[in-house]
Amino acid sequence: MQGHGYGGTPALRYRYRFAGCVLLVAHLLAVGWLALRPLTAPWVAAAHLEPLATIRADLALGPWGAARAIGAAVLPLAPLGVLLPWARGRVCASSLGSLTRTVFTAAMISLVLQVVQSGVMGQVLNLDALLLNVTGVALAHLAVVPAVRARLRRGGDGGRPEPLRREEEMPGMTPTIPRVRIAP
């Protein structure tokens, strides 16, 4: 009988995936609520559609101001880099495929969020916020997901897999089914 790829019973794997989906939905609700609140401002700037213009303006604030402004755009959606693959529940997935799916999904979520946010009073469309959101998701994915998947593939014990026993290295004769002959 062949295993399913990582330890635990199917019910336990289902619970992990369910927990990932619940956390994903909770995170998206929290980010949506925070991003779509109306801001009270005496005036609102026009939409920022020139790529990297806002980032250049943030860098002109100095190191602490730039770190704060850029970090505020990178961090809100960064947990999606971990939560989206967790909700999918695949341990033996292609690293590049997983990264591509996660970044594309995060880009679409961020784009929808930016478009809806532009209709809220005091909020404007910002292309650089979209780019920084997707960058945060990609960085979180690259920092966490490959290491966790490798550990789960090893069995979660943190060590190397056990070496093969002598019988498994050299299987000997091929097993046959009685009363079944070799074809001519």
Side-chain angles (χ1 to χ4, degrees):
M1 186 168 149
Q2 186 174 353
H4 292 287
Y6 61 103
T9 63
L12 184 62
R13 288 191 298 273
Y14 174 76
R15 287 182 190 145
Y16 284 144
R17 188 172 180 190
F18 181 74
C21 290
V22 167
L23 289 173
L24 177 65
V25 168
H27 176 72
L28 287 175
L29 287 174
V31 166
W33 179 74
L34 290 172
L36 299 177
R37 290 181 302 154
L39 299 177
T40 56
W43 59 273
V44 177
H48 303 287
L49 298 177
E50 181 184 342
L52 306 177
T54 307
I55 296 173
R56 279 190 295 259
D58 291 340
L59 291 174
L61 297 174
W64 294 110
R68 182 178 167 271
I70 292 174
V74 170
L75 292 178
L77 292 183
L80 291 180
V82 176
L83 292 175
L84 286 171
W86 186 5
R88 183 138 192 254
R90 288 279 178 105
V91 173
C92 296
S94 165
S95 297
L96 183 60
S98 176
L99 178 66
T100 304
R101 279 188 302 272
T102 302
V103 167
F104 178 75
T105 304
M108 293 299 109
I109 290 170
S110 181
L111 179 63
V112 167
L113 193 62
Q114 287 293 319
V115 168
V116 172
Q117 190 177 21
S118 67
V120 175
M121 183 177 12
Q123 304 277 1
V124 293
L125 182 70
N126 189 350
L127 183 62
D128 291 338
L130 177 84
L131 295 173
L132 290 172
N133 285 335
V134 172
T135 301
V137 170
L139 291 174
H141 182 87
L142 289 172
V144 176
V145 173
V148 170
R149 281 188 174 154
R151 183 170 178 154
L152 287 173
R153 275 190 232 118
R154 282 194 308 259
D157 60 356
R160 296 182 305 172
E162 295 180 12
L164 294 174
R165 293 184 300 213
R166 183 78 176 150
E167 302 90 39
E168 294 172 357
E169 289 176 3
M170 299 173 55
M173 291 184 54
T174 305
T176 59
I177 301 172
R179 295 179 295 191
V180 176
R181 296 183 186 172
I182 298 176

